[in-house]
Amino acid sequence: MSINIHPIKAFNDNYIWTLINDSNKQAIVIDPGQSAPVIEYLEAQELDLIAIWTTHHHYDHTGGVAELQEHFPMTHLVAHSEHGVDEDQTIKDSSTVSAWGCSAQVWDVSGHTASHMAYILDIDGLKHCFCGDTLFSGGCGRVFTGTIEQLYASFKRLNGLPTETLLYPAHEYTASNMRFGLSIEPDNMAMRQALTQAEEKTTQGIPTLPVTLEHERAVNVFLRADEVSVIAGVETKKNLEDDNPLTIFTALRELKNDF
């Protein structure tokens, strides 16, 4: 058995990540903010939806849940109790969910929102992390109902995953995040190359995701808050009380808010 992972595009820049089991023509979708593109894709591929997983409560991640449940009545809904949906399986940090025998660990990666979950799916020893709006390629989510301290802790936790882990953020923000990163680290050649590749892919309508954690460590300033070059870049733009990583991380998020 093999599980394929496919992005269904929604709204302007959302990805609804879809797990597909070709052997039985079943699918699981993650964060379906819209139902129509999911139904269209699944019907075109002759797939049956068996489960929905949500990462947080924002409407662009849950707005299509109810209609999908109506269209696919046997769908099993996995969500945290604060995600605002009528879930069949209530998850929290350290919960486990299954995809055709493959195990996914649930991590609390709050910060963007409270009760923000990530799913760490292990397929043949390779981890696939569906991180919602906590981590983007080159960036992080804006803080809404969570706290910056939570977001920083979530980044530290995600950074502890194996380097080959594949990260599946829920938005196509890569090019804009690389431009911000270069405003902090103008001499980061890995970031400059990532921007060029992202612009080319975006022009062609090709997703820039997923990305490896190893890649993100080179190009994501929010994972690099303890790097001398990042600290120096932030200090040219803000007056800081100290240069500890949380202070730098907080300053980076504030600078990104106004970028």
Side-chain angles (χ1 to χ4, degrees), residues 10-11 16 28-39 42 49-80 83-89 119:
F11 301 108
I16 301 169
I28 297 169
V29 298
I30 302 171
D31 284 352
Q34 288 181 302
S35 61
V38 175
I39 293 170
L42 296 183
L49 183 67
I50 62 164
I52 296 170
W53 301 350
T54 64
T55 64
H56 63 294
H57 71 273
H58 284 165
Y59 186 76
D60 65 322
H61 294 254
T62 63
V65 167
E67 289 182 12
L68 287 173
Q69 287 178 300
E70 290 180 13
H71 200 86
F72 300 94
M74 300 305 292
T75 299
H76 181 75
L77 178 57
V78 177
H80 189 279
H83 288 180
V85 294
D86 187 15
E87 72 274 6
D88 299 299
Q89 180 181 351
Y119 299 87

Side-chain angles (χ1 to χ4, degrees), residues 137 172-179 191-209 215:
S137 186
E172 183 57 77
Y173 292 161
T174 304
S176 61
N177 284 338
M178 294 304 163
R179 294 186 194 105
M191 200 180 291
R192 193 168 297 281
Q193 183 178 12
L195 173 59
T196 299
Q197 292 174 345
E199 289 174 335
E200 290 173 353
K201 287 184 175 181
T202 300
T203 299
Q204 299 171 43
I206 301 171
T208 63
L209 307 168
H215 172 79

Side-chain angles (χ1 to χ4, degrees), residues 199-253:
E199 289 174 335
E200 290 173 353
K201 287 184 175 181
T202 300
T203 299
Q204 299 171 43
I206 301 171
T208 63
L209 307 168
V211 289
T212 65
L213 177 58
E214 182 177 27
H215 172 79
E216 284 305 295
R217 286 174 176 168
V219 303
N220 191 322
V221 287
F222 293 92
L223 283 173
R224 298 169 57 78
D226 58 351
E227 293 286 340
V228 172
S229 53
V230 174
I231 296 169
V234 171
E235 287 178 334
T236 65
K237 299 176 182 296
K238 289 185 77 73
N239 294 320
L240 303 173
E241 293 183 1
D242 57 67
D243 62 1
N244 72 60
L246 175 57
T247 300
I248 300 301
F249 187 93
T250 302
L252 284 167
R253 185 59 260 181

Side-chain angles (χ1 to χ4, degrees), residues 47-138:
L47 297 170
D48 186 32
L49 183 67
I50 62 164
I52 296 170
W53 301 350
T54 64
T55 64
H56 63 294
H57 71 273
H58 284 165
Y59 186 76
D60 65 322
H61 294 254
T62 63
V65 167
E67 289 182 12
L68 287 173
Q69 287 178 300
E70 290 180 13
H71 200 86
F72 300 94
M74 300 305 292
T75 299
H76 181 75
L77 178 57
V78 177
H80 189 279
S81 60
E82 296 184 11
H83 288 180
V85 294
D86 187 15
E87 72 274 6
D88 299 299
Q89 180 181 351
T90 304
I91 55 166
K92 59 182 180 180
D93 186 56
S94 77
S95 293
T96 302
V97 297
S98 178
W100 307 288
C102 294
S103 178
Q105 297 297 314
V106 178
W107 283 10
D108 187 321
V109 291
S110 295
H112 172 65
T113 68
S115 305
H116 192 303
M117 302 290 116
Y119 299 87
I120 318 293
L121 179 65
D122 191 304
I123 304 175
D124 297 328
L126 178 63
K127 295 186 185 301
H128 302 257
C129 176
F130 301 91
C131 48
D133 287 1
T134 294
L135 180 150
F136 301 122
S137 186

